[in-house]
């Protein structure tokens, strides 16, 4: 059996994507297709009192104006559900406005331009109500959200933190703030809905086809077999396409009303409010240590925004429970309901911002101890999961730190800020740990032999740009002993076997394990002499006890070097290295892309990203990619990811772990720590823009 | 977005005629106008596409300067050998703006006339005197990190976002304008853009229907030139503060100095007093710092942009000193 899993082969969908042959949601066309444009609320809280759509209705080419006054009745929204992304998402259900940018009307017209012009011509009047928009002022209203989706409690306690912290020789007690962030994926949300013989087909840009299928069917009160959801190509998701939004539901409703296909696409500006965002957070980290750097006490507390309209608890403190040893510890997470758009998962929900705090706090502690921050981390390596008290399935934080230090030239780092110069730039280095929970979800996969030498793989899994198509082809090729070109991978149709979809970095492992099962069973049948032609087998996977008996995480270490322009305080990355261990790597090329993508996002979290909220309006004022900054090429001169060999026998049959989110975890903290090391500016309020660095520079220069 | 009609005249005379109808607007590269139309901020009912008019040449003028056609692309202008050699400050400013793709499409006149990047200006749901006179200025007590520290009014604190225009202000360019009556007039760049005063809806002193046909650069001034832009990321971001500087030194003294600042005012800001203080002063740190302080003497800040005052001062002093020492 030739080894195909683990080979760095090119994406099998790469050619279709770069030549434009791959149809993304808004690229799809249908005969007699009409175009929808959403009108969004311009208040944050209150009621719609009137909608004047007369001018819009009179415009030639306008086919339909839908408002809460005439929208078809849909299933009610449910505050809680096992799968939050499978809940009904009724649109235009009442006159109530729960956040700025909430859809309040839909216009459908013969052309996209007419629809948009008509949408502009609609006049909505409102009765405004008081809302709460500021996280800082909401701490009084903070509450405990209860258990997280993985069953982890929001609070944890071990030993006697208060006493240990009081007695500690060296302490850090600091507050860190992270801002609202937008997913800003390249492809805006869009859906095309059409009806035929009472059956609805929605082609959309989604991460979770199965959840979306249920959400759409339930919203429209349809039998599941009367709905097909398709999402073959997705131009980035990052969590922002876990839920179903108004584009899909409104397209479906309008297509039924008009009895013709309807496409609804969000504008880039609308995405900042209509879709979800990462909530802002305020985090307090306390660390207590002996003089030799041994941690005696760790506390991590978080407060994050949640939308009043729809609760979401960003699991900010969870990974802190497994990161470092310390006998006395406490973590707690709280959320505050604000009248803002809906917060939800964004790449590595929890760790992505939790580590911005914890890993900067570790750096602060190292400074106070006068100790190498890398050494401090080595010194607090736990032998087992410090809170769950179970063994780690694998844990490679130490090798990642050591290998990274060697490759990066960490020994050249100067302990004191302001020692290294390059012309008018001050240089500094920073390190931070990466940790990201590893999950397995129930999944199914079907393999069918099309001929002796050709097989088709089918799953309702999505490829959101990560490389799913490719790694599944590799798995099937290896197990069936066929060339990769002979495997056709079909994803993203709700009629295919159920999978958890793309989210939480569980996709490749969960679906890959189900596929492994299907291929293994198929091979057994072939071995028994069953004819290949048409032979079809469905395999599956379920998480076993190993997820309880072992602490399962992927790990890594980030190293960053930044330059600070001494006159202006501009912070620019010079180079960045991440060393990771994430079980067996299914395809080093696609994994590498995922990891450096995550690292670049970490850089953005540290230096750029900030969805600025205007607390008077309850609205984000940064509504396009001019105002909402993400790193551009010039910001990323050199970024490298190295993968250590690993096989996690407790993770799944493939030995693999998720890599989609690992890269972002801790990356921003390495950058923040490098900023400190360069110039002595300790910025705890992300992003680290030059205005926050300048005071330290003026102080230095006297 | 609103419905509009469109025409593409072949010569200047027909363009002028087309632009005289109510609701008409010129469109050149469209990189700013179309974005604003899509989000309803600009609502022209008729577009006069001037992109095929014969205004794409960079030519020498009799006095030794350059005449830049209104439609010369930002890319071509930055690459022009004469610009690179004689007006490096302009080439640098252009290359510090936008992205390669945008510069290919953007024109010289369009760049001068691009509108502010104040975020409130971009959302018709938010109050903004510039977009909708009398509705209030949301930035004044809102998010004003990018906003003006010089020459603003209570009606508007927006800044002009162009890099190119800042270099042209330092170079004392003149704008050649065709009036609807068929006359040609010249406007010094300092008089092209306005301060907001009580009429922030008017960015410039151009009258309705006037067409920019060219930008005239006087012969290059003596001395070294540079453009330095401070921004939140390494590329593809508008200036927090920028400076175009031209300094001529001899025998340890400053013979001449020209400065213009970007990101600080409703127009490219020429700090006259700083220039005056520099001329004849010793070419040393003391003079540069004094000039830097003079440049911000009239500054007035808002909650999020206080940093712009020290930043401007540090940037000006440093840029002057680098120029004088050849850095
Ligand atoms: C993402 C992004 C980033 C950017 N970053 C920068 C930056 O960093 N620095 C920077 O300086 N700029 C930046 N820009 C702005 C860019 O430089 C301008 O959009 C461009 O220069 C405008 O030129 P245009 O020919 O496309 O103008 P258009 O959009 O065609 O026109 C702009 C305005 O000028 C008017 N107009 C055009 N030509 C004439 C004429 N001859 N006579 C009279 N009126 C005329 C039009 O009616 C319109 O009102 C950025 C733009 C974008 C979209
Ligand atoms: S600063 Fe000017 S552009 Fe910005 S909101 Fe105020 S009036 Fe409008």
């Amino acid at each position: 059996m030739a080894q195909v899993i683990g080979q760095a082969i090119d994406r099998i969908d790469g050619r279709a994507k770069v030549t434009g042959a791959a149809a993304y949601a808004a690229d799809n066309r249908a005969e007699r297709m009409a175009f929808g444009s959403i009108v969004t609320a311009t208040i944050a809280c209150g009621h719609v009192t009137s909608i004047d759509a007369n001018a819009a209705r009179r415009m030639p080419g306008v086919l339909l104006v839908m408002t809460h006054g005439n929208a078809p009745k849909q299933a009610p929204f449910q505050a809680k559900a096992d799968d939050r992304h499978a809940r009904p998402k009724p649109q235009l259900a009442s006159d109530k406005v729960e956040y700025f940018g909430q859809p309040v009307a839909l216009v459908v017209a013969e052309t996209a331009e007419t629809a948009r012009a008509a949408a502009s011509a609609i006049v909505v009047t409102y009765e405004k109500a008081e809302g709460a928009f500021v996280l800082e002022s909401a701490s009084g209203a903070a509450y405990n959200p209860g258990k997280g989706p993985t069953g982890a409690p929001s609070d944890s306690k071990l030993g006697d933190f208060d006493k240990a912290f009081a007695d500690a020789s060296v302490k850090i007690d600091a507050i860190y703030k992270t801002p609202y962030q937008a997913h800003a994926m390249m492809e805006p949300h869009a859906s095309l809905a059409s009806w035929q013989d009472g059956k609805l087909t929605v082609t959309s840009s989604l991460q979770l086809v199965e959840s979306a299928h249920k959400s759409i069917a339930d919203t429209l009160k349809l039998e599941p077999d009367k709905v097909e959801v398709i999402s073959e190509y997705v131009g980035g998701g990052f969590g922002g396409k876990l839920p179903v939004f108004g584009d899909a539901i409104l397209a479906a409703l309008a297509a039924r009303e008009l009895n013709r296909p309807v496409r609804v696409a969000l504008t880039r500006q609308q995405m900042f409010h209509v879709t979800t965002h990462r909530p802002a957070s305020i985090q307090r980290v306390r660390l207590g240590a002996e003089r030799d750097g041994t941690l005696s006490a760790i506390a991590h507390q978080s407060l994050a925004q949640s939308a009043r309209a729809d609760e979401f608890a960003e699991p900010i403190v969870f990974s802190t429970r497994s990161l470092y040893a310390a006998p006395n510890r406490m973590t707690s997470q709280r959320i505050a309901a604000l009248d803002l758009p809906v917060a939800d998962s964004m790449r590595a929900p929890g760790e992505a911002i939790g580590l911005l705090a914890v890993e900067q706090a570790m750096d602060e502690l190292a400074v106070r101890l006068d100790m190498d921050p890398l050494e401090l981390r080595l010194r607090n390596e736990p032998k087992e999961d410090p809170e769950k008290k179970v063994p780690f399935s694998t844990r490679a934080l130490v090798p990642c730190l050591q290998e990274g230090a060697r490759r990066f030239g960490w020994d050249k780092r100067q302990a004191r800020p302001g020692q290294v110069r390059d012309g008018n730039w001050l240089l500094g280095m920073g390190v931070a740990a990466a940790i990201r929970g590893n999950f397995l979800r129930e999944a199914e996969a079907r393999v069918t032999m099309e001929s002796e030498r050709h097989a088709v793989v089918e799953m309702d899994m999505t490829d959101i740009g990560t490389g799913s198509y490719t790694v599944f082809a590799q798995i099937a090729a290896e197990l069936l002993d066929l060339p990769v070109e002979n495997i056709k991978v079909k994803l993203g149709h709700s009629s295919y076997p159920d999978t958890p979809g793309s989210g939480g970095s569980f996709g490749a492992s969960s679906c890959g394990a189900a596929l492994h099962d299907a291929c293994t069973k198929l091979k057994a049948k072939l071995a028994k002499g069953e004819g290949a032609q048409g032979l079809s087998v469905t395999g599956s996977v379920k998480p076993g006890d190993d997820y309880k008996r072992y602490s399962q995480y992927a790990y890594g270490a980030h190293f960053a070097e930044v330059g600070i322009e001494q006159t202006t305080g501009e912070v620019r990355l010079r180079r960045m290295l991440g060393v990771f261990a994430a079980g067996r790597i299914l395809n080093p090329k696609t994994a590498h892309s995922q990891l450096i993508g995550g690292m670049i996002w970490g850089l953005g979290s540290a230096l750029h990203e900030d969805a600025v909220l205007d607390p008077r309006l309850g609205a984000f004022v940064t509504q396009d990619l001019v105002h909402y900054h993400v790193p551009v090429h010039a910001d990323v001169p050199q970024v490298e990811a190295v993968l250590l060999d690993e096989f996690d026998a407790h993770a799944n049959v493939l030995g693999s772990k998720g890599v989609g989110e690992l890269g972002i975890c801790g990356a921003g903290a390495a950058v923040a720590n490098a900023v400190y090391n360069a110039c002595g500016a300790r910025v705890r309020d992300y992003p680290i823009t030059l205005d926050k660095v300048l005071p330290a520079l003026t102080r230095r220069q006297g | 977005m609103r419905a509009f009609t469109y025409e593409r005249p072949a010569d200047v005379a027909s363009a002028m005629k087309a632009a005289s109808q109510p609701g008409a607007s010129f469109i050149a590269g469209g990189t700013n106008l179309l974005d604003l139309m899509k989000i309803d901020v600009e609502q022209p009912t008729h577009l006069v596409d001037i992109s095929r008019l014969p205004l794409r040449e960079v030519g020498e003028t009799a006095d030794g300067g350059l005449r830049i056609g209104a439609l010369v692309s930002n890319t071509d202008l930055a690459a022009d050998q004469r610009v690179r050699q004689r007006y490096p400050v302009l080439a640098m400013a252009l290359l510090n703006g936008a992205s390669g793709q945008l510069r290919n499409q953007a024109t010289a006149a369009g760049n001068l006339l691009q509108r502010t990047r104040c975020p409130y200006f971009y959302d018709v749901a938010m109050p903004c005197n510039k977009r909708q006179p009398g509705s209030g200025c949301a930035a004044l007590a809102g998010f004003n990190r990018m906003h003006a520290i010089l020459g603003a009014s209570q009606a508007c604190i927006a800044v002009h976002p162009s890099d190119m225009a800042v270099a042209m202000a330092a170079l004392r360019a003149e704008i050649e304008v065709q009036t609807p009556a068929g006359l040609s007039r010249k406007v010094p760049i300092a008089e092209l853009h306005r301060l907001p005063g009580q009429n922030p809806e008017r960015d410039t002193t151009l009258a309705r229907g006037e067409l920019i046909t060219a930008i005239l650069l006087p012969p290059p001034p003596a001395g070294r030139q540079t453009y330095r832009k401070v921004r939140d990321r390494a590329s593809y971001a508008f200036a927090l503060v920028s400076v175009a500087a031209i300094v001529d030194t001899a025998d340890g003294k400053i013979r001449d100095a020209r400065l213009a600042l970007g990101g600080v005012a409703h127009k490219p800001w020429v700090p006259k007093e700083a220039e005056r203080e520099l001329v004849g002063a010793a070419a040393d740190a003391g003079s540069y710092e004094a000039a830097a302080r003079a440049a911000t003497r009239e500054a007035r800040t808002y909650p999020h942009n206080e940093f712009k005052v020290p930043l401007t001062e540090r940037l000006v002093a440093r840029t002057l000193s680098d120029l004088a020492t050849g850095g």
Side-chain angles (χ1 to χ4, degrees):
Chain A
M1 189 159 72
Q3 204 191 330
V4 190
I5 300 173
Q7 297 299 308
I9 68 166
D10 291 344
R11 277 161 204 266
I12 59 175
D13 50 337
R15 197 182 167 78
K17 283 182 174 171
V18 298
T19 56
Y24 289 85
D27 296 333
N28 291 289
R29 293 283 178 272
E31 225 172 295
R32 294 183 63 241
M33 176 168 92
F35 297 81
S37 183
I38 294 176
V39 180
T40 59
T42 57
I43 62 162
C45 194
H47 289 85
V48 171
T49 48
S50 74
I51 298 184
D52 180 355
N54 288 326
R57 282 204 181 89
R58 276 198 305 270
M59 288 167 76
V62 171
L63 303 166
L64 172 70
V65 177
M66 196 185 281
T67 68
H68 69 272
N70 63 349
K73 204 162 158 46
Q74 302 147 67
F77 180 71
Q78 300 164 2
K80 299 247 179 197
D82 286 345
D83 178 354
R84 51 186 279 105
H85 303 305
R87 292 173 299 171
K89 284 290 178 72
Q91 302 293 314
L92 313 177
S94 79
D95 62 353
K96 199 165 167 208
V97 175
E98 294 179 284
Y99 56 89
F100 187 100
Q102 175 188 318
V104 292
L106 174 80
V107 183
V108 186
E110 295 287 353
T111 67
E113 291 78 10
T114 308
R116 202 155 164 180
S120 309
I122 289 181
V123 182
V124 185
T125 50
Y126 302 94
E127 188 184 292
K128 251 193 202 176
E130 287 294 309
F133 307 117
V134 180
L135 186 61
E136 278 80 355
S137 342
S139 51
Y143 66 97
N144 181 339
K147 278 189 171 47
T150 55
S154 42
D155 291 5
S156 74
K157 250 189 165 82
L158 202 76
D160 185 344
F161 171 80
D162 288 334
K163 179 165 188 317
F165 186 68
D167 293 348
S169 321
V170 184
K171 300 174 207 195
I172 292 295
D173 181 353
I175 305 276
Y176 302 86
K177 289 186 184 181
T178 65
Y180 293 99
Q181 289 186 346
H183 299 85
M185 70 292 273
M186 229 189 304
E187 181 205 18
H189 299 64
S191 296
L192 167 62
S194 53
W195 292 80
Q196 198 158 20
D197 307 327
K199 183 170 176 182
L200 167 68
T201 302
V202 180
T203 307
S204 187
S205 187
L206 299 163
Q207 293 178 235
L208 314 177
V209 168
E210 189 190 340
S211 304
H213 179 258
K214 182 164 167 39
S215 171
I216 294 168
D218 286 357
T219 308
L220 274 74
K221 303 183 184 174
L222 296 166
E223 291 302 318
D225 62 350
K226 292 288 180 211
V227 181
E228 169 83 341
V229 174
I230 302 173
S231 194
E232 288 184 355
Y233 293 102
V234 181
F238 308 120
K241 289 173 182 168
L242 295 170
V244 167
F245 294 103
D247 57 315
I249 303 295
L250 290 170
L253 293 173
R256 187 166 60 185
E257 294 294 298
L258 293 169
N259 195 23
R260 58 190 280 192
V262 172
R263 188 193 86 185
V264 179
L266 299 186
T267 65
R268 175 64 66 186
Q269 285 81 1
Q270 287 177 334
M271 287 171 64
F272 286 84
H273 291 103
V274 175
T275 74
T276 53
H277 59 265
R278 193 197 296 283
S281 78
I282 302 171
Q283 304 177 43
R284 182 180 185 194
V285 180
R286 284 173 290 170
L287 302 173
E290 314 288 336
R291 286 251 160 254
D292 69 355
T294 310
L295 285 167
S296 52
I298 298 178
H300 187 189
Q301 293 159 283
S302 70
L303 171 66
Q305 176 255 342
S306 168
R308 201 182 306 282
D310 189 3
E311 182 180 288
F312 172 71
E314 171 107 9
I316 296 171
V317 304
F318 287 8
S319 284
T320 308
R321 297 171 187 168
S322 303
L323 188 51
Y324 297 116
N328 305 288
R329 36 206 313 144
M330 69 88 88
T331 63
S332 92
Q333 67 167 5
R334 296 289 178 269
I335 56 176
L338 298 177
D339 299 287
L340 292 177
V342 179
D344 208 314
S345 300
M346 182 183 300
R347 202 171 200 170
E351 288 91 343
I353 53 176
L355 292 174
L356 285 174
V358 170
E359 284 297 284
Q360 198 179 165
M362 283 295 278
D363 200 69
E364 297 201 45
L365 179 64
V367 170
R368 201 156 289 178
L369 287 162
D370 203 9
M371 190 173 187
D372 184 325
L374 195 142
E375 180 57 34
L376 175 64
R377 289 173 172 89
L378 298 182
R379 190 151 303 180
N380 290 290
E381 173 67 7
K383 296 205 168 46
E384 59 172 5
D385 189 294
E387 298 201 14
K388 290 182 204 141
K389 300 287 180 199
V390 295
F392 294 109
S393 62
T394 63
R395 175 156 167 127
L397 177 57
V398 168
C400 288
L401 284 164
Q402 287 168 336
E403 179 63 15
R406 192 182 65 73
R407 288 173 180 254
F408 197 71
W410 182 253
D411 55 342
K412 298 200 183 58
R413 172 182 175 271
Q414 298 291 318
R416 306 234 168 290
Q419 305 300 300
V420 189
R421 269 158 213 276
D422 176 9
N424 204 32
W425 294 80
L426 290 169
L427 306 189
M429 293 187 196
V431 66
I435 178 171
R436 169 70 193 165
N438 186 54
F439 310 101
L440 191 77
R441 294 276 178 89
E442 217 172 312
E444 288 178 4
R446 180 164 60 230
V447 193
T448 308
M449 296 304 291
E450 280 194 318
S451 75
E452 291 279 330
R453 306 274 307 147
H454 290 85
V456 183
V457 171
E458 290 169 317
M459 285 180 256
D460 73 6
M461 173 64 178
T462 48
D463 185 328
I464 59 172
T466 49
S468 319
Y469 278 110
T470 312
V471 298
F472 298 145
Q474 287 175 270
I475 292 168
E478 176 164 320
L479 286 162
L480 302 175
D481 208 6
L482 293 173
V484 175
E485 309 79 75
N486 291 14
I487 310 291
K488 197 186 295 169
V489 181
K490 293 165 83 175
L491 302 179
H493 285 241
S494 58
S495 56
Y496 300 157
D498 288 348
T499 71
S502 301
S505 299
F506 46 62
S509 291
S510 306
C511 300
L515 178 58
H516 187 286
D517 184 49
C519 293
T520 311
K521 286 177 176 153
L522 184 99
K523 240 174 34 180
K525 289 195 173 196
L526 290 172
K528 276 198 214 133
E530 287 191 40
Q533 185 71 42
L535 187 60
S536 183
V537 173
T538 301
S540 64
V541 69
K542 274 194 181 137
D545 271 356
D546 273 5
Y547 277 81
K548 295 207 186 78
R549 288 192 289 141
Y550 295 90
S551 169
Q552 291 218 20
Y553 290 90
Y555 292 91
H558 293 280
F559 295 81
E561 183 176 34
V562 303
I564 314 279
E565 218 282 353
Q566 286 192 84
T567 305
T568 62
E570 286 161 296
V571 182
R572 301 287 185 254
L573 181 76
R574 295 251 163 153
R575 60 196 178 102
M576 205 169 179
L577 168 72
V579 178
F580 305 97
R584 181 185 187 187
I585 299 305
L586 302 174
N587 180 330
K589 196 167 184 177
T590 53
H592 182 263
S593 289
Q594 285 299 301
L595 290 165
I596 61 172
M599 290 168 69
I600 292 166
W601 201 332
L603 170 69
S605 300
L607 302 184
H608 307 121
E609 291 198 42
D610 191 1
V612 177
L613 180 79
D614 187 317
R616 301 164 305 173
L617 305 166
F620 298 119
V621 296
T622 44
Q623 296 179 22
D624 57 36
L625 299 178
V626 167
H627 294 101
Y628 186 80
H629 278 183
V630 301
V632 296
H633 288 94
D635 292 301
V636 195
Q638 193 187 328
V639 54
E640 197 40 66
V642 172
L643 281 153
L644 301 185
D645 270 343
E646 197 179 75
F647 186 96
D648 190 338
H650 303 292
N652 61 72
V653 60
L654 295 161
S656 61
K657 292 182 183 179
V659 293
E661 294 165 304
L662 181 59
I664 190 175
C665 301
V671 174
N673 297 338
V675 170
Y676 174 81
N677 184 242
C679 70
R682 185 58 83 182
V683 182
R684 302 186 184 91
D685 179 11
Y686 292 94
I688 307 171
T689 47
L690 62 86
D691 41 315
K692 300 173 191 168
V693 174
L694 264 179
L697 294 176
T698 23
R699 270 200 306 277
R700 286 190 74 75
Q701 291 147 7
Chain B
M1 189 158 70
R2 308 283 159 133
F4 59 87
T5 49
Y6 171 89
E7 74 181 292
R8 195 169 64 207
D11 55 56
V12 171
S14 3
M16 299 309 294
K17 187 153 172 283
S20 66
Q21 58 174 284
S25 174
F26 293 121
I27 179 165
T31 59
N32 191 217
L33 185 63
L34 288 178
D35 280 357
L36 292 169
M37 285 170 65
K38 284 197 226 166
I39 56 172
D40 258 356
V41 173
E42 301 265 19
Q43 304 183 351
T45 50
H46 185 62
L47 284 189
V48 181
D49 182 348
I50 56 173
S51 63
R52 305 283 170 95
L53 298 184
L55 304 170
R56 280 203 178 267
E57 299 291 314
V58 181
E60 312 266 346
T61 58
D63 65 353
L66 287 182
R67 182 177 189 281
I68 300 161
L71 294 171
V72 175
S73 78
N74 289 183
T75 299
D76 288 348
L77 189 55
D80 189 284
Q81 278 307 320
R82 294 158 295 188
V83 171
R84 293 177 52 166
Q85 279 159 18
R86 284 145 55 185
Y87 306 95
V89 63
L90 177 56
M92 291 165 84
L94 282 160
L95 294 177
N96 269 284
S99 66
Q101 288 154 314
L102 282 159
R103 292 194 298 268
N104 288 342
Q105 180 71 11
T107 64
N111 190 317
L112 284 177
L113 299 183
Q114 63 175 296
R115 308 214 63 190
T116 185
R117 292 286 170 172
C118 169
Y120 299 100
F121 178 71
Y122 278 73
D123 187 338
V124 292
M126 299 180 180
C128 170
N129 287 327
K130 183 182 277 301
R131 180 171 26 76
Q132 199 185 339
S135 62
C137 170
L140 208 53
F143 178 59
N144 45 36
R145 181 168 176 271
M146 298 293 289
H147 289 71
I149 54 170
L150 290 161
S153 71
Q154 289 298 297
C156 177
I157 58 172
V159 298
H160 192 264
S162 170
D163 291 297
M164 182 196 80
V166 177
M168 286 181 172
L171 290 167
R172 313 294 192 246
E174 281 190 311
I175 316 301
E176 188 186 276
V177 176
Q178 179 92 11
T179 71
L183 304 172
S184 179
R185 64 184 183 102
K186 285 185 193 151
V187 187
I189 187 157
E191 289 164 26
L192 176 70
H193 300 100
R194 299 176 63 252
L195 289 179
Q198 288 314 300
N199 299 94
E201 71 280 8
R202 287 183 54 214
D203 291 354
T204 70
T205 55
L206 293 185
R208 243 195 58 77
E210 284 191 320
L211 177 77
I212 295 180
T213 47
I215 298 158
L216 300 164
L217 298 184
R224 293 164 170 280
Q225 310 180 1
T226 196
Y227 185 75
R228 179 77 170 83
K229 176 179 183 179
V230 182
R231 47 186 155 178
D232 278 325
R233 60 183 172 191
S235 175
Y236 205 38
F238 287 92
L240 291 165
V241 175
S242 70
V243 58
I246 305 169
V247 180
D248 185 26
T249 54
D251 308 325
K253 281 212 167 8
I254 300 164
R255 268 208 302 233
D256 194 15
R258 296 173 183 202
L259 292 173
L261 302 173
V264 295
H266 200 251
K267 59 189 288 184
W269 186 263
V270 174
K272 281 278 169 211
E273 207 182 315
E275 288 183 346
R276 264 197 302 275
E277 287 196 17
L278 284 168
V279 177
D284 64 18
S287 309
Y288 306 142
E289 278 159 23
R293 281 193 300 275
T296 58
R297 199 160 291 148
E298 308 282 302
R300 148 140 211 223
T301 62
Y302 303 90
H304 302 109
N305 73 356
E306 280 167 4
F307 73 96
K308 281 194 176 182
V309 173
L311 180 61
T312 306
E313 289 178 8
R314 294 163 70 86
L315 181 69
V316 168
R318 177 85 206 185
T319 305
L320 290 170
S321 132
D322 284 352
L323 264 187
T325 56

